[in-house]
Amino acid sequence: MSKQERIKILDVPVDMVNMKQASRRFLDLMETPECSLIVTPNSEIIVNATKDPELKKIIESADLIIPDGIGLVYASRIVNCPLEERVTGFDFLTEILKLLDERGQSIFLLGSKPEDEENPGVAEYAGYKMKKQFPNLRIAGTHHGYFNSEDEAAIVEKINSSGADFLCVAMGAPKQEKFIANHQKELKVKAAIGVGGSLDVWAGTVKLAPDFYRNHGLEWLYRLVKQPSRYKRMAALPVFMVRVLTERRKKK
Ligand code: UDP
């Protein structure tokens, strides 16, 4: 991707891609031999990246940086490089599943809660649901996202020996991005993405916001109503907008 198609918001890069362009880019990355990194920053992740140099570096090194969230679309207008649309991590993952299904390729699902006495592991159940919707997709393996750093080598080995073409990591940011970046050289998958809570949505443990909220870019409001304990994290959106406006004023 050329530098011109990559804009900066609070000095953090974001690719100017709509869903169609992102999908095309994904297919290109699946043709390259080394493991490519796909990240899906939203306003909260961009603000965190301004305070976490390791996260910022990882985003800068990514092969595809998806604009996940309406905050980024508004910010892009403020910096005079308007993004056409937001591409949510969940929607992009669904598009990826469709493309993998068309090609009969496989995915490894890493992250979310392990099984307990009453429920299967979230990743395992998400895989079952994905397979129902995309019958040609192969689920190469699953593993929950609650492990210590000493377990990481064994998990990388499990992913590699599964022969998966693609890796989906759902452990929340920046954990998922750091896991992929730390093991990118050893991973034998063609590409890997961090998708936050998307496996929970697939498994049905968390509900996707209804269409009204999604169509108006109001997923954050829906999540705030459903999970009020997240209010501190939600504060990232206004903080983000104020910072983008302040930076813009400084540059004028
Ligand atoms: N998670 C995990 N390991 C951890 C912490 C979180 O696998 O050590 C999972 C958690 O179970 C959830 C996902 O990470 O499925 C993402 O959570 P969150 O809603 O915070 O992500 P967001 O979409 O907001 O980035």
Side-chain angles (χ1 to χ4, degrees):
M1 177 149 312
S2 72
K3 285 270 183 255
Q4 286 87 334
E5 292 164 310
R6 197 161 262 196
I7 60 170
K8 280 199 170 178
I9 298 177
L10 297 183
D11 204 37
V12 180
V14 178
D15 286 331
M16 291 195 80
V17 284
N18 59 24
M19 179 63 91
K20 208 167 160 198
Q21 293 160 330
S23 310
R24 224 176 288 140
R25 179 85 182 128
F26 164 76
L27 290 175
D28 289 345
L29 295 176
M30 290 297 282
E31 296 299 320
T32 61
E34 67 283 355
C35 172
S36 301
L37 170 63
I38 305 171
V39 292
T40 61
N42 56 17
S43 318
E44 186 188 4
I45 296 175
I46 299 263
V47 169
N48 289 343
T50 65
K51 298 181 272 191
D52 178 347
E54 186 188 349
L55 175 62
K56 188 173 174 204
K57 240 177 145 184
I58 292 173
I59 297 175
E60 284 167 348
S61 77
D63 301 279
L64 180 55
I65 311 169
I66 301 292
D68 179 356
I70 200 69
L72 269 64
V73 175
Y74 291 146
S76 71
R77 291 179 192 156
I78 293 169
V79 299
N80 281 329
C81 297
L83 288 160
E84 203 180 305
E85 61 179 1
R86 76 192 195 289
V87 180
T88 71
F90 179 80
D91 290 340
F92 190 48
L93 174 62
T94 305
E95 182 65 20
I96 287 175
L97 296 174
K98 186 180 130 230
L99 296 169
L100 294 173
D101 176 66
E102 283 167 10
R103 286 158 182 73
Q105 287 183 309
S106 60
I107 188 167
F108 191 103
L109 304 173
L110 172 65
S112 301
K113 294 222 170 91
E115 62 180 353
D116 58 28
E117 300 82 44
E118 284 151 34
N119 304 295
V122 170
E124 194 187 335
Y125 196 57
Y128 164 76
K129 291 290 215 41
M130 288 171 179
K131 182 83 187 155
K132 266 183 121 177
Q133 189 166 331
F134 299 106
N136 284 327
L137 170 75
R138 290 181 294 121
I139 309 295
T142 63
H143 196 285
H144 64 79
Y146 294 82
F147 49 82
N148 298 320
S149 50
E150 307 90 73
D151 304 323
E152 291 193 11
I155 291 169
V156 171
E157 177 49 32
K158 186 175 175 186
I159 297 164
N160 284 343
S161 57
S162 77
D165 296 299
F166 185 72
L167 171 64
C168 166
V169 188
M171 303 196 300
K175 228 179 206 173
Q176 57 202 16
E177 288 77 15
K178 290 184 180 178
F179 175 87
I180 300 169
N182 286 340
H183 299 288
Q184 202 171 351
K185 290 210 172 77
E186 309 142 61
L187 283 165
K188 291 189 180 136
V189 292
K190 304 265 169 36
I193 190 171
V195 291
S198 296
L199 294 186
D200 287 305
V201 178
W202 269 99
T205 43
V206 170
K207 278 211 163 61
L208 196 61
D211 283 350
F212 170 80
Y213 292 88
R214 285 165 58 75
N215 294 341
H216 292 83
L218 292 172
E219 287 98 334
W220 59 271
L221 178 60
Y222 179 77
R223 289 184 95 177
L224 183 61
V225 172
K226 287 281 169 190
Q227 296 170 275
S229 59
R230 292 175 69 103
Y231 79 93
K232 270 198 187 138
R233 291 181 56 180
M234 299 290 170
L237 183 60
V239 168
F240 171 75
M241 293 311 302
V242 168
R243 282 190 57 186
V244 173
L245 283 164
T246 315
E247 292 277 310
R248 163 95 202 280
R249 214 160 286 156
K250 271 196 235 154
K251 281 188 183 147
K252 267 188 171 176

